[in-house]
């Protein structure tokens, strides 16, 4: 399925737009399970750069900066935070490679590869859960971009300040100005989703590098103001040292994994384009450990310099930019972070629901319709209430992690441990009872039960943080859900005879392409 065409940055646009004809619809495929967005790709030509560009867009956002900055509120020294970030992102790198392989080998997106584990109809369960989570992230990222835009508006028209006060002119927790900027960005993104292929390409090409440029300039400005000697990587009050810091660092590591748990789960939506699994792994290495380490160092340096320059620790880049005296610098910096955050929405939170919701009803819901469903839902959940302070950030990530973890565990257990990497692509597109993935009326009870039980147990510590020990346990909701989903599925798969009913031993392993 792979070819040798040279990849370009515009290949990333193909995933965002999914032009008609990108998948091969075989004559025997059931229309209730098939459209050209979900069918196996007729060519796969992404190189390492394309995967790297995806992670650049995902990492370099206000959300990524704020999440990394929120770790400084845990009472750790900055070097401990940096270690936690690196360890956490390395775990993400490893798990992303696990998720990448089945979709890269078969050329199908995340909801389709799940049909082998959940059944051809049961795969709608993880698709809807992941799609709903994408809706939440779509709203959160749009809100963060609108907050950056607020800074620009207030700098140009300071008389609008009363309308930025939620107590004077507010509704559902958001001030009138916030509603206006949110609406502007909502419409802009919807327009880009609907018709803006060239605009998408420009966003993707610009976002990741632009944030680096702005952050380097910002760090240089702060160094100019405070001097090199003012860089102090011990931010705030260090409450934990020695062995006492280990549990806090483990919690920070878990938080990093939870932050990336969404794009990590449906990474198959992107790895399916990889011309080889080796190319995907290289892209992951560059985009995750290497890129995230560089980004995190800039976050630490920039945040540390806000103390001598502004007299307080500021872990929000837009707030830092807003404190600069130059109107031009404020407008340029805030607009850059705004556009970058729109970029991550286009890449991470449109493609996922586009595939997920399309999987529910392929003939009725196209990729465009899936994206618009996410856009509408993003307003209804009032995302500004989900991401307005470090405590709420952690609560939100822990809740999402509890739901995502079991889905990850089931997929990995099924593909690697039960199926031994043997998947018959054509059987994922048939409703015939004799199909390998029909199970019981299209559903695999083992996968459904393991997911429900894993999520139910994992969310208990999140909801019961008032109970002694539960607050700490909640930090590991993704790991708890993932472990229970994996182990639960292995046990239930044996009881429900999944390997026998799907005729695993008769399936031929997918061929391994030559390394690129």
């Amino acid at each position: 399925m792979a070819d040798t065409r040279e990849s370009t940055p515009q290949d990333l646009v193909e995933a965002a737009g999914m032009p008609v004809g990108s998948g091969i619809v075989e004559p025997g495929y059931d229309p209730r399970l098939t459209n050209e967005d979900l069918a196996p790709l007729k060519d796969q030509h992404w190189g390492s750069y394309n995967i790297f560009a995806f992670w650049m867009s995902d990492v370099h956002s206000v959300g990524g900066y704020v999440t990394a900055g929120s770790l400084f509120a845990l009472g750790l020294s900055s070097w401990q935070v940096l270690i936690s970030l690196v360890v956490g992102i390395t775990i993400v790198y490893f798990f992303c490679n696990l998720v990448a392989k089945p979709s890269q080998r078969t050329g199908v997106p995340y909801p389709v590869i799940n049909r082998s584990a959940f059944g051809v109809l049961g795969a709608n369960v993880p698709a809807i859960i992941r799609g709903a989570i994408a809706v939440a992230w779509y709203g959160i990222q749009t809100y963060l971009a609108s907050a950056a835009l607020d800074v620009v508006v207030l700098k140009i028209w300071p008389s609008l300040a009363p309308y930025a006060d939620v107590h004077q002119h507010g509704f559902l927790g958001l001030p009138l100005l916030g509603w206006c900027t949110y609406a502007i960005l909502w419409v802009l993104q919807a327009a880009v989703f609907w018709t803006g292929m060239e605009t998408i390409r420009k966003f993707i090409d610009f976002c990741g590098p632009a944030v680096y440029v702005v952050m380097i300039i910002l760090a240089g400005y702060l160094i100019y103001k405070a001097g090199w000697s003012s860089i102090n990587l011990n931010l705030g009050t260090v409450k934990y040292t020695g062995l006492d810091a280990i549990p806090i660092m483990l919690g920070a590591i878990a938080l990093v994994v939870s932050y990336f748990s969404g794009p990590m789960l449906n990474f198959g939506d992107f790895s399916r384009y990889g011309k080889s699994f080796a190319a995907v792994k290289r892209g992951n290495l560059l985009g995750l450990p290497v890129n995230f380490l560089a980004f995190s160092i800039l976050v630490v340096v920039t945040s540390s310099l806000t103390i001598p320059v502004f007299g307080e620790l500021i872990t929000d880049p837009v707030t830092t930019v807003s404190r600069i005296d130059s109107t031009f610098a404020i407008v340029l910096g805030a607009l850059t972070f705004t556009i970058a955050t729109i970029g991550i929405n286009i890449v991470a939170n449109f493609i996922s629901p586009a595939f997920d919701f399309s999987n529910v009803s392929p003939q009725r819901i196209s990729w465009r319709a899936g994206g618009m469903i996410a856009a509408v839902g993003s307003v209804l959940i009032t995302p500004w209430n989900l991401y307005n302070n470090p405590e709420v950030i952690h609560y939100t990530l822990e809740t999402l992690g509890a739901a995502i973890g079991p889905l990850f565990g089931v997929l990995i257990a099924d593909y690697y441990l039960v199926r031994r990497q043997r998947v018959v692509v054509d059987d994922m597109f048939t409703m015939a009872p004799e199909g390998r993935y029909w199970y019981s009326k299209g559903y695999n009870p083992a996968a459904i039960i393991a997911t429900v039980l894993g999520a139910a147990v994992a969310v208990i510590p999140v909801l019961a943080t008032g109970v002694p020990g539960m607050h700490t346990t909640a930090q590991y909701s993704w790991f708890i859900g993932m472990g229970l989903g994996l182990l639960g599925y292995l046990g239930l798969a044996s009881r429900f005879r999944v390997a026998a009913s799907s005729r695993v031993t008769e399936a031929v392993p997918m061929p391994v392409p030559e390394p690129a």
Side-chain angles (χ1 to χ4, degrees):
M1 294 177 70
D3 68 30
T4 57
R5 286 194 304 156
E6 204 169 310
S7 59
T8 67
Q10 190 161 354
D11 293 335
L12 193 56
V13 178
E14 271 187 30
M18 281 304 297
V20 173
S22 59
I24 304 174
V25 179
E26 299 289 352
Y29 287 2
D30 195 299
R32 290 170 291 181
L33 299 173
T34 312
N35 61 27
E36 289 168 309
D37 299 337
L38 302 175
L41 293 174
K42 58 185 177 184
D43 67 70
Q44 298 167 283
H45 52 269
W46 277 29
S48 300
Y49 169 79
N50 304 110
I51 302 298
F52 172 60
F54 162 74
W55 288 118
M56 284 267 284
S57 296
D58 202 0
V59 170
H60 301 175
S61 67
V62 176
Y65 193 114
V66 171
T67 298
S70 71
L71 299 181
F72 297 128
L74 297 177
L76 296 172
S77 63
S78 58
W79 69 266
Q80 292 170 328
V81 172
L82 199 58
I83 289 176
S84 301
L85 289 170
V86 172
V87 172
I89 204 64
T90 301
I91 293 173
V92 173
Y93 164 73
F94 173 74
F95 284 147
C96 277
N97 287 339
L98 291 181
V99 172
K101 180 179 279 189
S103 286
Q104 192 281 322
R105 294 283 171 83
T106 59
V108 299
Y110 166 75
V112 174
I113 197 65
N114 264 310
R115 293 174 184 174
S116 63
F118 286 82
V120 291
L121 296 179
N124 286 329
V125 173
I128 292 173
I129 293 174
R130 177 63 187 103
I133 290 171
V135 169
W137 276 116
Y138 184 101
I140 288 170
Q141 294 289 2
T142 303
Y143 161 66
L144 292 173
S146 71
L149 189 57
D150 288 343
V151 173
V152 176
V153 172
L154 291 174
K155 189 64 179 180
I156 298 175
W157 297 288
S159 61
L160 296 177
Y163 299 98
D165 187 346
V166 69
H167 301 293
Q168 296 185 51
H169 302 279
F171 176 65
L172 294 179
L174 192 66
L176 180 59
L177 179 62
W179 276 104
C180 292
T181 53
Y182 189 96
I184 290 171
L185 293 179
W186 190 97
V187 171
L188 173 62
Q189 291 175 120
V192 171
F193 292 160
W194 197 257
T195 61
M197 285 299 134
E198 182 63 16
T199 306
I200 291 175
R201 183 187 65 79
K202 290 178 180 178
F203 272 148
I204 300 304
D205 289 345
F206 173 78
C207 292
V211 171
Y212 262 137
V213 171
V214 170
M215 286 186 63
I216 290 172
I217 293 174
L218 181 59
Y221 168 80
L222 295 174
I223 291 172
Y224 170 75
K225 286 288 187 179
W228 287 96
S229 61
S230 297
I231 298 178
N232 182 3
L233 299 186
N234 290 319
L235 305 180
T237 303
V238 178
K239 301 178 181 178
Y240 305 98
T241 58
L243 295 178
D244 292 338
I246 293 178
I248 312 301
M249 293 178 68
L250 291 175
I253 291 169
L255 182 65
V256 172
V257 177
S258 294
Y259 177 78
F260 286 97
S261 61
M264 181 170 65
L265 178 66
N266 69 288
F267 184 61
D269 292 342
F270 303 92
S271 67
R272 71 185 295 226
Y273 293 93
K275 61 184 178 182
S276 71
F277 182 53
V280 172
K281 288 195 294 183
R282 281 196 300 271
N284 284 345
L285 179 64
L286 293 172
L288 288 169
V290 175
N291 175 58
F292 195 70
L293 175 60
F295 181 76
S296 298
I297 290 174
L298 270 176
V299 170
V300 173
V301 170
T302 303
S303 297
S304 70
L305 289 169
T306 61
I307 297 176
V309 176
F310 302 119
E312 61 179 315
L313 173 63
I314 303 174
T315 57
D316 184 334
V318 178
T319 302
T320 303
V321 168
S322 69
R323 301 286 288 272
I324 300 174
D325 296 333
S326 169
T327 300
F328 173 78
I330 292 175
V331 172
L332 178 63
L335 284 179
T336 300
F337 281 109
T338 298
I339 294 173
T341 304
I342 292 174
I344 186 180
N345 251 359
I346 292 173
V347 173
N349 300 321
F350 170 60
I351 298 169
S352 174
F355 283 129
D356 293 332
F357 296 147
S358 180
N359 187 76
V360 174
S361 183
Q363 298 304 310
R364 294 186 177 90
I365 303 176
S366 66
W367 63 268
R368 276 184 179 145
M372 295 311 296
I373 289 172
V376 172
S378 71
V379 181
L380 301 179
I381 63 171
T382 64
W384 42 89
N385 293 320
L386 300 178
Y387 219 79
N388 56 9
N389 64 60
E391 184 176 346
V392 175
I393 291 172
H394 294 192
Y395 181 82
T396 300
L397 294 178
E398 290 159 2
T399 302
L400 297 180
I404 290 177
L407 300 178
F408 184 94
V410 170
L411 176 61
I412 297 305
D414 180 77
Y415 181 75
Y416 288 98
L417 303 178
V418 174
R419 224 161 280 289
R420 305 290 181 181
Q421 303 184 46
R422 299 167 184 257
V423 175
V424 179
V425 175
D426 291 345
D427 277 24
M428 292 190 288
F429 294 92
T430 178
M431 294 278 285
E434 61 270 20
R436 283 178 169 81
Y437 313 122
W438 177 252
Y439 299 110
S440 177
K441 298 180 180 180
Y443 294 84
N444 180 3
I448 303 296
I449 294 172
T451 298
V452 172
L453 290 179
V457 173
V459 82
I460 290 175
V462 180
L463 300 178
T465 51
V467 178
M470 289 294 101
H471 179 74
T472 300
T473 306
Q475 298 174 341
Y476 306 98
S477 61
W478 184 89
F479 291 93
I480 295 171
M482 186 272 288
L484 291 175
L486 189 149
L487 296 175
Y489 180 74
L490 286 179
L492 291 168
S494 176
R495 179 175 180 181
F496 284 96
R497 298 174 53 81
V498 169
S501 64
S502 58
R503 307 192 299 280
V504 169
T505 56
E506 299 176 18
V508 179
M510 296 295 295
V512 179
E514 292 296 322

